[in-house]
Amino acid sequence: MLASSSRWRRELLDRLQLPYQCHSPDIDETPHSGETPHALVHRLALGKANAVAHQFPNHCIIGSDQVAVFEGDILGKPHSAERACANLARFSGQRVTFLTGLALLDTRQQRHQVHVEPFEVVFRTLSTQEIENYVAKEQPLDSAGSFRMEGLGIALFEKLEGRDPNALIGLPLIALCDMLRQAGLDPLGTSL
């Protein structure tokens, strides 16, 4: 079970060739006062899985959430073209850290695992015209960091640094495979 409405997360999970269903969790994603970015994505990933758990007993439920962290600020989805352009202008020529929280809630055994996957992006120096063109073409208003790595957003970067580039899209598959194996569900095995 994938507790997400993100088509990008569905496309990533499809790569593992596992049977699953999707259900969109309804949770408040507002950071708590004084909450660190790490604690926020940890809480939200587990919260998303827990939000649908009562509807799916005897399932493994995947929850995930992501934020960008820059100069101490937690940046989620921009929700407007103006804010997306402002974020990208701020990121121009800079390093931005992305944290993706991943939770696997096993309602069969009442256990859960949570992992936070860091990933860093170094942005090229971007002109105002490049930023405006990018935002107009891709409309990344529902993407943490104001870009989509799985699309034209790749043209914004100088380099990427991290263990799993899938984390930047919103679902760290390497960590997820580890968690699934610990829950007895090996994507390469016959235990499914």
Side-chain angles (χ1 to χ4, degrees):
M1 167 56 55
L2 178 62
S4 177
S5 58
S6 166
R7 81 172 221 213
W8 311 113
R9 287 189 178 110
R10 287 193 309 268
E11 286 178 10
L12 287 173
L13 190 54
D14 286 345
R15 293 181 189 178
L16 299 184
Q17 300 179 18
L18 299 173
Y20 71 94
Q21 300 172 355
C22 282
H23 191 78
S24 183
D26 184 22
I27 67 168
D28 180 2
E29 296 184 13
T30 307
H32 293 162
S33 178
E35 190 171 33
T36 66
H38 188 281
L40 173 63
V41 295
H42 183 284
R43 176 178 61 82
L44 292 178
L46 187 56
K48 287 178 178 183
N50 278 322
V52 301
H54 67 282
Q55 298 171 43
F56 299 96
N58 300 314
H59 283 77
C60 283
I61 303 169
I62 301 163
S64 186
D65 199 79
Q66 182 181 71
V67 297
V69 182
F70 183 68
E71 296 179 340
D73 293 336
I74 297 173
L75 304 168
K77 300 170 184 171
H79 299 295
S80 73
E82 295 77 22
R83 185 174 286 158
C85 287
N87 284 344
L88 293 174
R90 211 174 149 199
F91 298 162
S92 178
Q94 303 294 316
R95 177 181 299 270
V96 179
T97 301
F98 288 82
L99 297 174
T100 304
L102 174 66
L104 183 66
L105 174 62
D106 185 346
T107 58
R108 303 166 307 169
Q109 300 180 31
Q110 299 305 309
R111 294 185 187 155
H112 70 269
Q113 304 170 58
V114 183
H115 173 76
V116 175
E117 185 80 26
F119 200 89
E120 295 198 347
V121 172
V122 179
F123 282 81
R124 292 185 311 100
T125 299
L126 303 167
S127 70
T128 300
Q129 190 63 56
E130 286 177 310
I131 291 168
E132 290 173 357
N133 288 347
Y134 171 72
V135 171
K137 286 180 181 182
E138 191 131 85
Q139 295 290 308
L141 310 184
D142 62 347
S143 299
S146 305
F147 70 86
R148 290 193 183 111
M149 198 284 226
E150 61 278 14
L152 185 58
I154 196 72
L156 302 170
F157 309 137
E158 182 178 306
K159 65 180 173 177
L160 306 173
E161 297 177 351
R163 176 174 85 136
D164 186 348
N166 298 302
L168 199 52
I169 301 171
L171 192 64
L173 294 179
I174 293 173
L176 179 58
C177 286
D178 290 343
M179 293 171 137
L180 289 169
R181 282 190 292 272
Q182 289 180 39
L185 302 169
D186 186 349
L188 296 176
T190 57
S191 59
L192 300 172

